[in-house]
Amino acid sequence: MAVTAVPNQRDLRLDLFRGLALWLIFLDHIPSNIVAWLTIRNYGFSDATEIFIFISGYTAAFVYGKAMLERGPLIAGARILRRVWQIYVAHIFLFAIYMAEISYVAASFENPLYAEEMNVLDFLKQPDVTIVQALLLKFKPVNMDVLPLYIVLLILFPPILWLLLRKPLLALGAAVAIYAVAWEFGWNLPAYPSGVWYFNPLSWQLLFVFGAWCALGGAEKLGPVLRSRATAIAAGVYLAFAFAVTMTWYVPGLSQYMPVWLEEHIYPIDKTNLDVLRFAHFLALAALTVRYIPQDWPYLTLRALRPAILCGQHSLEIFCLGVFLAFAGHFVMVELGSGIGSQVLVSAVGVLAMVATAYLISWYKGVEGRNPSRPKSPDADLAGGEA
Amino acid sequence: MKMIAAAILILLGVNSALAQDPKTCAIPSYLLLADNELKKVVAAVKVGRLNIAVVGSGSSLLTGADGPRSAYPARLESTLTRRLPRIAVKVVSIAKSRETADTMAKEFEQILAEVKPDLVVWQTGTVDAIRGVPLDEFQGVLEEGVERLQAGGADVILMNQQYSPRTESMIAIGPYADAMRVVAQHYGVPLFDRLSIMRHWSEVGQFDLHAASKTNVLAQRVHDCLGRAIASLIVESAHLEMAAPKPTQ
């Protein structure tokens, strides 16, 4: 049986856009941040999460697909699970930081105006339950939903990757079927204390598997479609439509121009279950990006793009740092002032910290890599080294 | 050196404390859009009485002995009584801490029967966000609730969450506020955008919503302004100052 080849060439565009997505996720996570108006979620249906999950699927297939072909499914599967463990530990580390912050607020902040809001701290009263639920990934504080999603996607990835390498279209079809069934029957994983996962893994797997499928030859198959003028026009029209709809949410008075039948048809645009409108919006963005930024785009090697690319190459570390910095940044703003100046300052310092950390990690990996006594780990620095 | 310090202070937004301290509860007009009609309210005012029920959670309450008198439902009543001198205005507050939209909606039949409100101000969204109630469920409850209230003969105003800078990174209220906006738009009911209004007050330095406080002073001032603002929304949406029977001169 023919097995799909895994491309060899490193695609800097993936690193670049994942790095940018990490910055946008950080900016979006700081509440009441004027700089977040720069991020794409305000100008269309999808946001940086789609970019991040798609590229993560792409690189996972790239890195572990190679391992699966060279070393077999068992070794590749073991590597994927080792990665899952790293992400899990990172998530629990972030949870510990979150607990520290929230406990501080619980002990130091009191205001009768916000008696109801402070009930969010109720879970501190029963740490025995809360911490266990957090370890089970059922209790997830605000903005800590992405890593648990990523963990579930990667745990399920070994068999999916195996199938993708042999019957790519069947694997993609299965992903679409699971998405459709979850949508139809409202399937999702349970959360604590109530409700379901904010990012439904049964829905978001579609984007992840689609990314993986693209990495394993799908993108080439789509080539003629992506290059066609009709696709570009359709994508452009759809992006313009999404932009117009989003503007009616933000510009006072515009909402009256939104036809009721259209509202009834498209609202709510469901993030939890990866609404088709969001998925299509991401596809349109991706199609135009691929069309106008080819893989050998000369500007990709520009020094100015280097910071974003480096961040994208160390995505797990930088993502976690971003979640922490968003907490810390909000904390600083609450304590010291939350004017526009401090919003800009906190955002800029945060992105700089992410970039500096990426440089540091990159430097360290470089130094370690040159050390002949230590063999280079086989999947390091492939497509950014990380899935 | 001093200049640098001043620049940093300005950057950090400390300057907002130096801004003038307006005693009014001014709200820019785009935050108080009165472009939905309140037919039941208009009809009620024509016969000289107005019954309003406020259904909500803990942020519609204030603690302490003077809590009930100073929470926004009571302030709404006294403002409306002052602005509509010929009308018998009654505001009944049915607010309980920790109530989700779903729990409140279950009491609507009883409220409609007992209070016979011409208008229900439905404050919700905070507890649902804290509990992480699925968004589609929340929106479904809102839609059904608004329909039931309207069918029961009451106008509806939806009121979203408070702006609470301390807990912003702990409670994801944004999507729930969006759902409320969508439902309000869909049913053509006014949305009292408490979230944006309080954010505006915080930004212009009218209230320091970051500060910790053991007393009710700030909370009472905020609730007073909220009560006045809802009164304005009602009066303007229903064009009441014209519709009310004119005092004989």
Side-chain angles (χ1 to χ4, degrees), chain A residues 48-250:
Chain A
T49 319
E50 272 90 350
I51 302 176
F52 183 74
I53 294 297
F54 172 82
I55 296 182
S56 295
Y58 197 107
T59 38
F62 195 88
V63 173
Y64 301 116
K66 210 174 186 60
M68 198 170 270
L69 288 181
E70 287 169 0
R71 310 283 303 272
L74 200 63
I75 301 287
R79 262 190 213 157
I80 294 173
L81 292 183
R82 188 185 66 182
R83 187 70 181 159
V84 168
W85 173 247
Q86 288 173 346
I87 298 170
Y88 180 77
V89 170
H91 174 72
I92 298 304
F93 175 61
L94 284 177
F95 179 74
I97 293 174
Y98 175 85
M99 288 291 277
E101 190 202 354
I102 207 167
S103 308
Y104 173 83
V105 171
S108 66
F109 183 68
E110 190 183 350
N111 191 331
L113 185 61
Y114 294 119
E116 183 79 288
E117 280 79 1
M118 296 312 275
N119 289 338
V120 72
L121 307 172
D122 274 358
F123 68 84
L124 291 174
K125 290 177 193 154
Q126 38 176 347
D128 54 334
V129 181
T130 305
I131 293 176
V132 171
Q133 294 295 341
L135 290 171
L136 293 172
L137 301 182
K138 287 175 81 178
F139 175 68
K140 297 181 288 298
V142 171
N143 292 340
M144 289 185 48
D145 306 283
V146 176
L147 288 184
L149 168 68
Y150 199 4
I151 288 169
V152 172
L153 294 179
L154 269 188
I155 285 182
L156 299 175
F157 197 54
I160 295 171
L161 181 60
W162 184 86
L163 191 60
L164 270 170
L165 286 169
R166 280 157 188 81
K167 297 264 184 207
L169 274 179
L170 183 64
L172 189 60
V176 173
I178 293 172
Y179 171 86
V181 168
W183 181 273
E184 185 59 33
F185 295 102
W187 290 351
N188 193 343
L189 300 185
Y192 175 86
S194 64
V196 289
W197 280 36
Y198 184 66
F199 291 112
N200 184 354
L202 297 172
S203 308
W204 283 76
Q205 54 82 24
L206 176 61
L207 201 50
F208 193 78
V209 175
F210 179 65
W213 180 79
C214 285
L216 300 174
E220 277 157 39
K221 281 187 204 134
L222 287 180
V225 180
L226 287 173
R227 279 188 293 273
S228 85
R229 230 182 125 75
T231 306
I233 292 170
V237 167
Y238 184 70
L239 292 181
F241 162 73
F243 176 76
V245 171
T246 346
M247 284 303 107
T248 67
W249 307 341
Y250 301 121

Side-chain angles (χ1 to χ4, degrees), chain A residues 32 110 114 116 122 194 342, chain B residues 11 58 98 163 168 199 213:
Chain A
S32 301
E110 190 183 350
Y114 294 119
E116 183 79 288
D122 274 358
S194 64
S342 68
Chain B
L11 267 177
R98 296 172 204 263
Y163 172 60
E168 253 187 323
R199 189 195 300 275
S213 158

